[in-house]
Amino acid sequence: MRIIICGAGQVGWQIARQLSGEGHDVALIDRDERLIQQANDALDVQGIVGHASHPEVLDRAGAADCDLLIAATASDEVNIVACEIAAALFSVPRRIARLRAQAYIRPEYADLYQAQNLSIDVVISPEQEVAAAALSRLDAPTTFDTETFMDGRVRMLAMALTDSCPILNTPLRHLDQTFFGLRAVVVGLRRGGRFFAPEPNDQLHAGDRAYVVTPEEDVARTLDIFGLPGRPICRVVVIGCGNIGGAVSRSLDRAPEVTLRIIEGDLGRAEAAAERLRRSVVLHGDGMSPDLMAEAGVPQADAVLTLTADDHVNILAAIRARQAGAGMVVALINDPSLLPLASSLGIDAQISPRAVTVSSILRHIRRGRVRDVYSLGDAEAELIEAQVLPGSALAGQAVRDLKLPRGALIAAVEKAGAILKPRPDTRLEPGDLVLIFALAGDIHEVERLLQVSADWF
């Protein structure tokens, strides 16, 4: 596929790296000559210096033969214009735009993105996606990452295993025998610097970071079995009430079981939040101030979320919240190089806007009838939810007979409304939903299996 990516920032760079690594023909446009030089040196892409919304620049990038344009520059307006020009002058069939300003994505303006108006097929709102990711962390507070699939009926739990995990040194194939009816599947393991799809005879070790897929109704049991029982989240402190913090706060303010306090350094935003929220207390001041943290109830909080626009403030405030006695601390971190540092400092979970946005974009790129995509680690693997199509390589096959690449496995199956743990004799039929774990190097082959074979027609 020929793909043009506008913007070589963190999101554009990651998408370019991932798609070019899968063999796609990628052109990357940015005004910053330094970023384009880095891309040309490190990635198998065509780097182009220029304005992404200029027709001649899109022409040089090969827009006339382009299958997909992804507009992810720092400017919403440039992203909109790039999509318009790609459609009007070059007839690019699919166009995705990242829009950050809330003014563009308010529900009352939804008609703006219909076909007869703006030429944008998919709008990605990082702030909304990141706010949803922050809220999901509170659903499973003993995990460092979590995501739902199959309309909320299946959940991925990412857990850091400790010496207290009761199933250490147990072959994974024995879990079914030990825990009757357990539908959890360990799909990925990070051990040291290695991230891999485990075999049935592999064992869990203390220090592993395990990615587990389980039906939603089995989450509590799964967490217990892995030695990380859930706990209720009733008292929450949010530090930072910008676009992301504001969206999180509005959602929590509507939850009757949650007592919410907010710390915001900007007086205007603090006053606006206080007027908008009905049940929550808003405090104006420095989110890293120990006195203000104490006033907000950080030592007694079940969870503290640091959601300012400054990574360093978020990390330091999370560390202070942990030291003060908060039950769980979650930090928003934009710079991917800081994510390993945050883990080593006792921060329970990190939210990466880059990773969340990349997952949202990939959801609309993957071939076959893909319904959802979630990127794991540093784009090292994906969980792909898709429907089994008639004529695809999956249709009519038992799991044992699937020719999956070594780094891929079936994590869950929805058949006639029931969520099943895949067994060797589980037969996939057209219309079934499957959740597939795939390491980055095997994604292209998984996409091929999801597509309808030409021989079927």
Side-chain angles (χ1 to χ4, degrees), residues 176-214:
D176 280 353
Q177 303 165 17
T178 307
F179 303 99
F180 178 75
L182 180 67
R183 291 182 287 174
V185 178
V186 180
V187 295
L189 283 176
R190 185 185 300 283
R191 181 172 296 157
R194 184 182 174 214
F195 191 22
F196 61 97
E199 301 285 344
N201 288 324
D202 283 331
Q203 302 178 8
L204 301 176
H205 299 158
D208 285 351
R209 296 167 81 83
Y211 294 80
V212 182
V213 170
T214 188

Side-chain angles (χ1 to χ4, degrees), residues 2 20 30 38 40 56 185 215 263 293 386 407 411 424 438 446:
R2 174 69 174 175
S20 64
D30 200 281
Q38 290 175 354
N40 284 330
E56 68 273 17
V185 178
I263 302 175
M293 281 187 166
V446 169

Side-chain angles (χ1 to χ4, degrees), residues 130-139 141 233 235-241 244-249 252 258-264 287 293 298 301-308 313-315 317-318 321-322 326-332 347-351:
V130 172
L135 290 167
S136 74
R137 298 297 187 273
L138 302 182
D139 291 337
I233 299 294
R235 292 169 294 187
V236 180
V237 176
V238 171
I239 298 176
C241 202
I244 294 171
V248 170
S249 298
L252 293 176
V258 172
T259 299
L260 175 64
R261 294 191 176 185
I262 302 156
I263 302 175
E264 169 54 51
M293 281 187 166
V298 166
D302 299 311
V304 174
L305 291 81
T306 60
L307 305 175
T308 77
V313 169
N314 292 339
I315 291 173
R322 164 65 73 215
M328 172 194 187
V329 292
V330 180
L332 178 69
I347 296 173
D348 296 297
Q350 307 93 44
I351 302 167

Side-chain angles (χ1 to χ4, degrees), residues 244-322:
I244 294 171
V248 170
S249 298
R250 287 192 295 275
S251 180
L252 293 176
D253 188 64
R254 294 190 293 267
E257 72 278 9
V258 172
T259 299
L260 175 64
R261 294 191 176 185
I262 302 156
I263 302 175
E264 169 54 51
D266 181 90
L267 180 59
R269 280 202 297 262
E271 291 175 341
E275 292 177 3
R276 184 170 56 243
L277 303 176
R278 296 184 178 182
R279 301 175 48 253
S280 306
V281 175
V282 181
L283 304 175
H284 171 243
D286 182 359
M288 290 193 297
S289 165
D291 291 339
L292 196 56
M293 281 187 166
E295 184 180 350
V298 166
Q300 297 81 35
D302 299 311
V304 174
L305 291 81
T306 60
L307 305 175
T308 77
D310 188 317
D311 286 353
H312 298 90
V313 169
N314 292 339
I315 291 173
L316 291 173
I319 293 170
R320 287 192 171 177
R322 164 65 73 215

